[in-house]
Amino acid sequence: MIYTGLRPGDLVEVKNENIHLDKRYFRGGFKTEAGTNRVIPIHKKIHSLIEARMDPKKEYLVINHENNKMSCYVYYHEKWKKIMEQLEMDHKPHDCRHTFATLMDNAGANK
């Protein structure tokens, strides 16, 4: 999420059909008018991560153990919290979006 600026709710909504690995972008976002279905570049550092997770036979990029769309609740409670515990860290998923915004602001990106 740090490399995309996606909200946690946006991440679980990303459909594989909207990911274009060859052109290094995908479409996502739904909360605001400006953010809905926006083009999101795929940074070279996360390209292989997205490629490994992508399954053209599945509708969504992030899926649950039953191969269905994962809810934000499940993402947070069954995935995120476990990872934070393993890393002995205390971050919330939205921290990634704040970090992204700060990095873009520091780089002089157009808001």
Side-chain angles (χ1 to χ4, degrees):
M1 287 186 290
I2 286 176
Y3 282 90
T4 65
L6 288 173
R7 294 174 179 87
D10 293 330
L11 177 64
V12 298
E13 294 287 336
V14 173
K15 292 184 175 186
N16 285 318
E17 68 184 21
N18 294 328
I19 300 172
H20 307 280
L21 289 172
D22 56 332
K23 297 177 184 171
R24 294 190 42 196
Y25 80 92
F26 64 96
R27 289 193 171 272
F30 67 90
K31 188 171 180 180
T32 66
E33 187 177 333
T36 298
N37 201 30
R38 70 185 177 276
V39 172
I40 301 166
I42 299 174
H43 192 280
K44 62 184 175 185
K45 289 185 178 179
I46 65 167
H47 189 276
S48 63
L49 297 173
I50 293 173
E51 185 175 33
R53 175 169 282 285
M54 238 181 109
D55 182 346
K57 295 179 229 147
K58 308 290 189 265
E59 186 174 6
Y60 291 93
L61 178 66
V62 179
I63 54 175
N64 63 20
H65 65 280
E66 296 172 340
N67 293 323
N68 296 315
K69 178 181 161 186
M70 185 178 292
S71 70
C72 279
Y73 178 87
V74 171
Y75 175 76
Y76 179 71
H77 289 283
E78 293 185 14
K79 301 293 182 192
W80 185 270
K81 285 178 77 172
K82 287 181 182 179
I83 292 169
M84 288 297 105
E85 288 171 9
Q86 290 172 355
L87 296 173
E88 298 180 0
M89 299 175 84
D90 185 30
H91 290 284
K92 303 291 184 232
H94 215 81
D95 292 351
C96 297
R97 183 168 169 83
H98 293 296
T99 300
F100 174 84
T102 299
L103 293 170
M104 291 293 99
D105 192 48
N106 290 347
N110 183 331
K111 293 183 184 204

